[in-house]
Amino acid sequence: MLASTPARVAIVIAALAAVVAGYRWWNSPERQVNQLLSDVATALSHESAETDLRALTAVASLQQHLTPDVSIDMSGGSTPIRGRQEVIATATRVRASSSMMRVQFFDPEIVISGDTSGTTRVTVQMTTRDASGQEVAAVYTVAMTLVMVEGRWQIASGRVLPEQGSTL
């Protein structure tokens, strides 16, 4: 049985609304930044020891996610890492020297300022193995500055925030 004309119109309008909503979600800056974080976690994570070449190959994908003059401040008195190539070289050394590392991002607070800049504050959990093979997790809060370059969100800076003390 054929649907009535008003029902057909309602179906077409609902389908168009779904297409528009899907398009807006797919192109949303928040979804793109979440994908950026997922790609960074994938590039840094590994489940077994690797050679330097394999680590470099995995970490090389970070190039598209970092500005050329990116700055990473680990806090705690360490010297900030400056420049895309230095960040990639450091990430390669860390990945090659660890027997296992799992990086996960949780609860990103993404703020987009205009069309070409934004920030995110995110909880990062890094899980590694100690000498006895036990998994050890460390949790950090990281603030990042993001910029849109040639249609792609990139990390311009990252800073590990000091731990917040708790009061009872």
Side-chain angles (χ1 to χ4, degrees), residues 33-45 62 102-109 120-126 139-144 155:
V33 171
N34 279 315
Q35 185 61 51
L36 166 88
L37 295 174
S38 176
D39 291 349
V40 169
T42 298
L44 297 174
S45 298
L62 289 176
R102 191 176 312 117
V103 177
Q104 296 172 288
F105 293 102
F106 297 100
D107 304 322
E109 298 171 13
T120 186
R121 182 180 171 125
V122 63
T123 301
V124 181
Q125 179 177 314
M126 294 180 58
V139 177
Y140 306 95
T141 302
V142 176
M144 295 181 214
I155 299 169

Side-chain angles (χ1 to χ4, degrees), residues 24-37 108-114 119-120 146 148 153:
R24 289 188 60 144
W25 172 82
W26 185 258
N27 286 325
S28 76
E30 291 80 8
R31 191 200 68 76
Q32 293 171 4
V33 171
N34 279 315
Q35 185 61 51
L36 166 88
L37 295 174
E109 298 171 13
I110 301 166
V111 177
I112 303 300
S113 308
T119 60
T120 186
L146 308 166
M148 175 71 79
W153 287 101

